[in-house]
Amino acid sequence: LVDDHDINLTAGGNQSGKSTCGAIEDAIDISKQVPKALEGIYPLEKIPKKIPFNVRTVGVDHTQLLNTVIPAYRQWMPREFLIKGSWEHSFSSERRLLTLKKGSKVYGTVEFMTNAMEVEKFQGPPLDKVNYDEEPRQDIYKENLLRFVTAKRLRVRFRMTPTRGMTWVKSDIVDKEGPGSNIKCFKLAT
């Protein structure tokens, strides 16, 4: 959670806390505030300065988003950044977009998408960070990389249970970890 390589891959079994880590890190990145439990532990220099900070989180499908990913974000987003202090006012289920504001200032957004969507749906605005809650399709990964054309840096986070064994993520991401790369892999135990 406290590493700041351009590409992070956190692998672990079901219920190991991968989705929760993603929600907490995004809450910090957008709000610029560290939860009390992480004060003195979380490196402040890791927090991006950019406001608004826009994130895209990609899940497996609509069911996984509703059952796992969105509840983690709902639990961990700071209430003072929710519009009127309410998730219902901040999250548009039609657009699958969470907007975080303080006063009239928008601090950032989280757009929720799935692997079940056509790759063309991933075109659009520039992003500051992309999260994959479970392994994405390779064409979606490549399309999302194009959203960083104007970004100052790449921020990609994989949080996945490798249920299909070694896939394109191993050859294209994991095997590139090492000296000179800006990729870091973590394994969580359950």
Side-chain angles (χ1 to χ4, degrees):
L1 181 66
V2 296
D3 187 79
D4 200 27
H5 283 76
D6 290 344
I7 299 176
N8 258 329
L9 184 143
T10 304
N14 289 326
Q15 304 298 311
S16 60
K18 301 177 307 292
S19 299
T20 299
C21 286
I24 293 170
E25 185 180 56
D26 287 349
I28 293 169
D29 286 349
I30 295 170
S31 73
K32 317 300 181 212
Q33 294 181 356
V34 177
K36 290 198 185 303
L38 292 176
E39 286 177 1
I41 298 169
Y42 196 90
L44 299 179
E45 64 275 5
K46 182 183 176 221
I47 301 171
K49 308 279 185 265
K50 184 180 181 297
I51 298 174
F53 190 82
N54 298 308
V55 176
R56 175 177 286 165
T57 294
V58 182
V60 175
D61 55 26
H62 190 67
T63 301
Q64 187 247 1
L65 277 180
L66 288 176
N67 291 342
T68 304
V69 179
I70 291 175
Y73 280 81
R74 186 176 182 147
Q75 179 179 354
W76 286 99
M77 287 300 129
R79 300 296 172 247
E80 65 269 22
F81 286 86
L82 295 177
I83 299 167
K84 298 182 184 178
S86 161
W87 176 266
E88 289 71 25
H89 285 95
S90 300
F91 179 69
S92 167
S93 57
E94 179 183 334
R95 295 176 58 211
R96 289 190 217 172
L97 185 71
L98 174 64
T99 302
L100 298 174
K101 294 174 79 173
K102 195 165 193 181
S104 61
K105 185 175 188 172
V106 175
Y107 271 69
T109 60
V110 181
E111 178 184 33
F112 298 95
M113 300 183 82
T114 76
N115 273 328
M117 300 169 84
E118 296 295 323
V119 72
E120 291 80 15
K121 300 286 185 186
F122 290 83
Q123 297 172 352
L127 297 168
D128 300 301
K129 183 177 181 186
V130 174
N131 299 310
Y132 297 102
D133 197 280
E134 299 303 346
E135 184 177 21
R137 293 188 344 236
Q138 191 172 22
D139 59 341
I140 289 173
Y141 172 73
K142 288 180 177 181
E143 185 62 42
N144 278 329
L145 285 178
L146 296 174
R147 307 288 69 83
F148 289 98
V149 166
T150 59
K152 292 196 187 283
R153 67 171 287 201
L154 185 67
R155 278 190 176 90
V156 177
R157 303 293 182 257
F158 291 88
R159 293 183 176 88
M160 53 190 267
T161 302
T163 55
R164 286 181 237 129
M166 299 301 140
T167 64
W168 72 268
V169 171
K170 180 174 183 331
S171 59
D172 291 9
I173 308 290
V174 176
D175 289 347
K176 294 183 180 181
E177 179 185 20
S181 72
N182 207 353
I183 300 166
K184 187 68 175 181
C185 299
F186 300 91
K187 181 178 173 184
L188 298 179
T190 50

